[in-house]
Amino acid sequence: MADEREIGGRESEEVCPAPGRREAIQALAGGLAATVAVAAATALSAPPTEPAPRNGRGIQYGMVIDVRRCIGCHACTVACKSEFDVPVGENRSWVEYVEKGEYPYVGRSFLPRLCNHCSIPPCVYVCPTNATYKRPQDGAVVVDVGLCIGCKYCIQACPYEARFLNPITGAADKCDFCLHRVSKGVAPACVSTCVGGARIFGDVSDPESEISKLIASERVTVLRGEMGTLPNVYYIAADHTDSIDARRPEVRQVEVDNHRRRKHWR
Amino acid sequence: MSGELYWGLPVIGYLFLAGVGAGAVTVSSYVLLRGGGGRFAGAHFSLARYGALLGPFPVMLGTGMIIFELGRWDRALNLFKLINLSPMSIGSWLLLLFMTITVLYGATFLPPGAHRGDRLEGARRGLAWVCMPLGIGVAVYTGVMLGAMPSRPFWNSPILALLFLVSSLSTGIATIILGRALVHRKGADRAAEKQFHESGYLLTVSDVMLIGLELMVIFLFLMFAHLTVGGVKEAVSIILPGGRMAAMFWIWVVLVGLLLPALLEMVYVVPPLFYHRSFAAPRSVEVVVPVSVLIGGFMLRYVVVVAGQITGPVGI
């Protein structure tokens, strides 16, 4: 696990243009210039010994969440909030609770949530200023606060409610896979803090990575696969019981508490 | 169901006002270019003048509202650093062009004694040819913007943009009717009075047809959403009988905004159409009809924008 983090870290550090530079380039000549600059930076800074991207693909960071190991303790929620000083009332990562059944046949399951860093991200396609974009070097979907105008279009477009408007910056905010940590070879805050080891982070396009082996060998699901967004956060043993089920008359006693904003269904 | 309204009254107001202004300018330039000459020439020029002078203001007011809504107005400038395929990006550029061109277009009507064939006619017609597609673009893009998101099943319909376009044209005509009714003073000149009513007939007949088309589009929107299964069906049930926003939709949008003005207009349109009577609607009707059309246009935006957000992403 440490290996692939370090590989990812090196790439991220070298290829990622500083926010200021990116903004200046955008200001001068728009998206085309930025693309050219990123391509040029890749060509210039890639060490000659670096192997070609595996399977013709670059790095795509992803996460596997093994729900069997989750105890619903919210340590990831708290670690994320303190890591980014997320304003009260909002979360970049959170844990949803699903309770169902009637005594004595009852069940409770947890669903840790974060941005899915989709391979086809609807938020990116609607952003009018290219402030939110999928990083070509590692596949993380991030927000450039300097370009974001706070129009909230991406918040509307996300099928996972993974985004919110940061009341302090006035810009869209979301999970960024802790790129500041990953670039130093450290795991994201939620992964480091998880007491049960339920969160596994890595490069899903590297077939040798721990995360790829897990995805290959376990029965994994993604959230709302029917949306066609190709999420890069996979779940093992997730209970997909949701608010739609809670409203079904034939299924009794389902309560979903997403701990994001105060909402209850019964 | 998620219940958070990220887009509230400023955005709803903008969608309505931009539609009104874009509709008025589109109708104005269409009448100017295609109104023809003959005995209608003067009346058509007058109609075009109302649309050209009234249209730019609601668009500017609405644009001001959404820029204010962003929190920091200067950030809106980031929209003009680039253009991409986001409907909002294309819409922003359309809006910028629209506001620039319509101000120039309106200015060609301003000189005292402006009339058809005066020395500004060339510029006026040239600008009108640009205004018409821009107006349609501004009216349509708002619907495309909402419709572009699979995460919002209520909005994710290709017919929403057409609904907004038809509603824009209808509310644009209503603005011209209202402006005429408020400004017009009864003169002693019988010919001028007859011409005023004849051009009123043109507006009213067009509005009846647009309202009919709008009812048809609403029917198709509801029917196709209701006949599917899953998120879209569930989302549209909010405005179908029994839904939380049903009363608001059927009373304010359909009854007040469409059926009432259409019936009132029919009372004055049918006799000239079938019995060769001359059209003459009293001023009270020419105020009530456009006001109810405008209320309906606003409530349509209100219901659509709110319903789309409170029926928002469902499932996991």
Side-chain angles (χ1 to χ4, degrees), chain A residues 26-27 30 90 96 111 113 125-130 146-153 155-159 161 163-165 169-171 223-224 227 240-244 247 261 263 265, chain B residues 1-7 69-72 75-89 92 144-152 155 234 308-309 312-316:
Chain A
Q26 289 269 3
E90 299 292 352
E96 299 183 356
L111 194 70
R113 295 286 311 275
Y125 297 146
V126 299
C127 180
T129 61
N130 290 0
L147 277 174
C148 177
I149 61 168
C151 70
K152 301 176 275 291
Y153 201 175
I155 299 174
Q156 306 276 14
C158 175
E161 295 184 86
R163 290 170 164 262
F164 58 93
L165 192 78
T169 62
L223 300 185
R224 304 203 70 189
M227 294 300 296
H240 288 253
T241 301
D242 57 24
S243 56
I244 298 173
R247 284 198 294 273
R261 306 178 184 95
K263 286 183 295 185
W265 297 280
Chain B
M1 269 193 201
S2 66
E4 199 136 341
L5 290 182
Y6 282 102
W7 284 343
E69 195 258 355
L70 292 178
R72 287 214 330 253
R75 288 198 302 200
L77 298 174
N78 285 351
L79 286 167
F80 302 107
K81 289 177 177 173
L82 55 92
I83 183 164
N84 62 24
L85 283 177
S86 161
M88 194 184 284
S89 175
S92 313
V144 177
M145 184 176 82
L146 297 185
M149 293 177 284
S151 63
R152 302 281 177 179
W155 294 338
E234 194 164 330
Q309 293 179 86
V314 282
I316 210 69

